[in-house]
Amino acid sequence: GDSVTQTEGLVTLTKGLPVMLNCTYQTTYSPFLFWYVQHLNEAPKLLLKSSTDNKRTEHQGFYATLHKSSSSFHLQKSSVQLSDSALYFCASGTGGYKVVFGSGTRLLVSP
Amino acid sequence: DMKVTQMPRYLIKRMGENVLLECGQDMSHETMYWYRQDPGLGLQLIYISYDVDSNSEGDIPKGYRVSRKKREHFSLILDSAKTNQTSVYFCASSPGQGGAETLYFGSGTRLTVL
């Protein structure tokens, strides 16, 4: 079945440094990929989404590029802020109703 | 204002009691979902609802059932709750097929089964 893998459970960084959160997926269909962000005690919210191969998608300083050749959709930011501390989920859909989520990566940014 | 509302926010129940979690949305979205969130496991899909009285099991439906009698409301029912159903439950809605559309999440219900 379809699956999404996030290899890091926790990433800790000092503010101002760059970050990359890994996401790979498995699907037999043409995928839609999403990044959702969940701040403490809040609902998950969409951060980015893409279905176009090799096209960079950006929002709120974060960016990701869907690479179908490597089944990856890594999330990056060039300079993290304290407010970026949150739980980040990568998710995959196949254009149907089902969305599969990865296990999530918690990003902690320190002063 | 586009909103998904979940009630209650916190709930404590004893093993064997029945549990009703309610979700409402004001966006007339066709598709609604119930997920549970456990540490290290991400969001696991319990049920999908395509519209009124049109529901489908997700990946972990055992021990749960759902009801959707109006497009804006989607309920999750636990008959005779078990301690391993202690979790945070999220409802979400989508304007179409969620696999290609944004999911809009509620704030969650933290359920503790003692």
Side-chain angles (χ1 to χ4, degrees), chain A residues 14 60 84 106:
Chain A
T14 303
Q60 295 182 337
D84 294 328
R106 185 168 297 282

Side-chain angles (χ1 to χ4, degrees), chain A residues 2 6 30-34 36 38 41-46 49 87 89 91-104 106, chain B residues 9-10 30-31 33 35 37-38 40-45 48 50 58-59 90 96-108 110:
Chain A
D2 295 349
Q6 294 180 249
S30 186
F32 286 76
L33 268 292
F34 306 83
Y36 284 86
Q38 183 183 22
N41 295 325
E42 294 185 9
K45 293 185 298 187
L46 181 70
K49 67 177 179 182
L87 186 57
F89 290 105
S92 169
T94 56
Y97 289 93
K98 192 171 179 182
V99 183
V100 177
F101 284 81
S103 56
R106 185 168 297 282
Chain B
R9 288 296 309 273
Y10 300 92
E30 293 178 356
T31 314
Y33 301 80
Y35 285 91
Q37 182 180 26
D38 300 291
L41 295 179
L43 292 160
Q44 298 176 85
L45 179 63
I48 304 172
Y50 307 111
D59 297 321
F90 284 99
Q97 297 183 353
E101 301 281 352
T102 301
L103 295 186
Y104 296 84
F105 285 89
S107 297
R110 184 176 294 274

Side-chain angles (χ1 to χ4, degrees), chain B residues 16-106:
Chain B
E17 291 184 329
N18 298 331
V19 178
L20 173 65
L21 304 184
E22 303 204 78
C23 175
Q25 49 101 357
D26 61 3
M27 297 169 278
S28 295
H29 286 171
E30 293 178 356
T31 314
M32 297 186 75
Y33 301 80
W34 277 106
Y35 285 91
R36 64 177 280 176
Q37 182 180 26
D38 300 291
L41 295 179
L43 292 160
Q44 298 176 85
L45 179 63
I46 306 172
Y47 267 94
I48 304 172
S49 176
Y50 307 111
D51 211 328
V52 172
D53 283 332
S54 179
N55 308 314
S56 178
E57 294 181 346
D59 297 321
I60 53 162
K62 188 176 178 183
Y64 304 96
R65 61 184 174 93
V66 293
S67 175
R68 193 169 179 200
K69 298 300 182 186
K70 293 183 179 180
R71 178 172 276 196
E72 61 269 24
H73 289 128
F74 190 34
S75 300
L76 181 69
I77 302 120
L78 289 67
D79 295 314
S80 187
K82 300 173 180 51
T83 55
N84 62 8
Q85 292 178 307
T86 292
S87 187
V88 181
Y89 291 86
F90 284 99
C91 174
S93 72
S94 172
Q97 297 183 353
E101 301 281 352
T102 301
L103 295 186
Y104 296 84
F105 285 89

Side-chain angles (χ1 to χ4, degrees), chain A residues 40-110:
Chain A
L40 193 63
N41 295 325
E42 294 185 9
K45 293 185 298 187
L46 181 70
L47 181 59
L48 293 172
K49 67 177 179 182
S50 179
S51 61
T52 306
D53 200 12
N54 296 319
K55 181 181 176 184
R56 177 163 151 159
T57 301
E58 299 190 39
H59 186 61
Q60 295 182 337
F62 286 91
Y63 59 95
T65 303
L66 175 59
H67 292 296
K68 294 183 180 180
S69 61
S70 57
S71 299
S72 68
F73 191 56
H74 306 318
L75 181 67
Q76 299 183 73
K77 191 175 187 185
S78 57
S79 175
V80 293
Q81 304 304 310
L82 294 175
S83 58
D84 294 328
S85 292
L87 186 57
Y88 292 82
F89 290 105
C90 184
S92 169
T94 56
Y97 289 93
K98 192 171 179 182
V99 183
V100 177
F101 284 81
S103 56
T105 298
R106 185 168 297 282
L107 174 64
L108 286 178
V109 181
S110 58

